[in-house]
């Protein structure tokens, strides 16, 4: 079973949360509500999210302050944030949203189709990253599981081709996604996709090094963030 991505919806008004759920339900992912910045930060302590939809105007901790806390945490700093706001104070207000770490800034009332399309991009990127982590975990077990033993040789004969095929599928999907984002002017999303492709390239080099005839790998190459 394919694990669903989690999307965090943060708004102090229940009717706005209900509207977001109605718009995003077609994506068939797990939607998690938070009615305040504090509640959102609590959810982020234990759950992994593909994207956060964050209302700017909230009593107490507003969206900008909430985003600042999210970006300061190592666990959550890379989660994409889409700001939603009912007001528009011009370029300065929008710039403040991007400065706080948002990947997008949408004014209400927004087009449901546009919002759903933007969220779906980050859900897809999250899924690709999950696949990459799975491939890396398999490769790590292969590296740690017993080089220079008969069992590891049999494993290399059966597991490596499977790993290579699965990685090739992820590489192909990532390439298509990057091309689509570039053609649509995806902005920050393009950088996220490029980061994913760099990770895939590092994993491919490590996997190729394990093939028969290749020099014995010392460790899985780590890619720069």
């Amino acid at each position: 079973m394919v694990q669903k991505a989690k999307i965090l919806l943060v708004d102090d008004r229940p009717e706005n949360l209900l509207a977001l759920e109605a718009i995003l339900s077609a994506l068939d992912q797990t939607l998690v509500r938070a009615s305040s910045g504090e509640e959102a930060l609590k959810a982020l302590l234990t759950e992994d999210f593909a994207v956060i939809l964050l209302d700017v105007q909230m009593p107490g901790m507003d969206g900008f302050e909430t985003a600042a806390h999210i970006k300061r945490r190592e666990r959550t700093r890379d989660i994409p944030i889409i700001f939603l706001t009912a007001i528009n104070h011009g370029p300065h207000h929008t710039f403040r949203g991007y400065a706080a770490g948002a990947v997008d800034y949408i004014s209400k009332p927004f087009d449901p189709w546009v919002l759903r399309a933007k969220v779906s991009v980050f859900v897809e990127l999250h899924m690709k990253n999950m696949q990459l982590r799975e491939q890396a975990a398999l490769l790590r077990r292969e590296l740690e599981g017993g080089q220079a033993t008969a069992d590891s040789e049999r494993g290399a004969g059966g597991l490596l081709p499977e790993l290579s095929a699965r990685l090739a599928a992820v590489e192909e999907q990532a390439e298509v996604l990057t091309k689509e984002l570039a053609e649509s002017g995806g902005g920050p999303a393009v950088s996220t996709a490029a980061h994913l492709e760099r990770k895939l390239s590092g994993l491919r080099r490590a996997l190729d090094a394990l093939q028969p005839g290749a020099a014995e790998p010392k460790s899985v190459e780590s890619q720069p963030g």
Side-chain angles (χ1 to χ4, degrees), residues 188-203:
V190 174
S191 298
T192 305
H195 176 71
L196 173 61
E197 287 201 325
R198 289 195 298 273
K199 296 267 188 190
L200 287 169
S201 297
L203 185 57

Side-chain angles (χ1 to χ4, degrees), residues 139 143 160 163-165 167 171 200-217:
L139 179 57
L143 287 169
L160 287 179
L163 275 171
S164 183
L167 179 58
E171 288 171 329
L200 287 169
S201 297
L203 185 57
R204 170 57 69 188
R205 287 192 291 273
L207 187 59
D208 288 345
L210 291 175
Q211 300 294 339
E216 183 177 347

Side-chain angles (χ1 to χ4, degrees), residues 26-78:
L27 298 179
D28 192 28
Q29 305 300 325
T30 301
L31 306 177
V32 179
R33 285 189 177 201
S35 58
S36 67
E38 291 85 354
E39 190 175 335
L41 293 175
K42 184 176 179 181
L44 287 162
L45 287 174
T46 56
E47 303 288 348
D48 293 322
F49 292 93
V51 61
I52 302 168
L53 274 63
L54 181 57
D55 184 42
V56 171
Q57 298 295 117
M58 295 187 295
M61 185 185 296
D62 66 11
F64 296 130
E65 188 178 354
T66 302
H69 282 289
I70 292 171
K71 294 303 177 181
R72 278 198 293 265
R73 293 178 178 176
E74 184 175 357
R75 174 187 171 90
T76 59
R77 65 179 53 165
D78 294 327

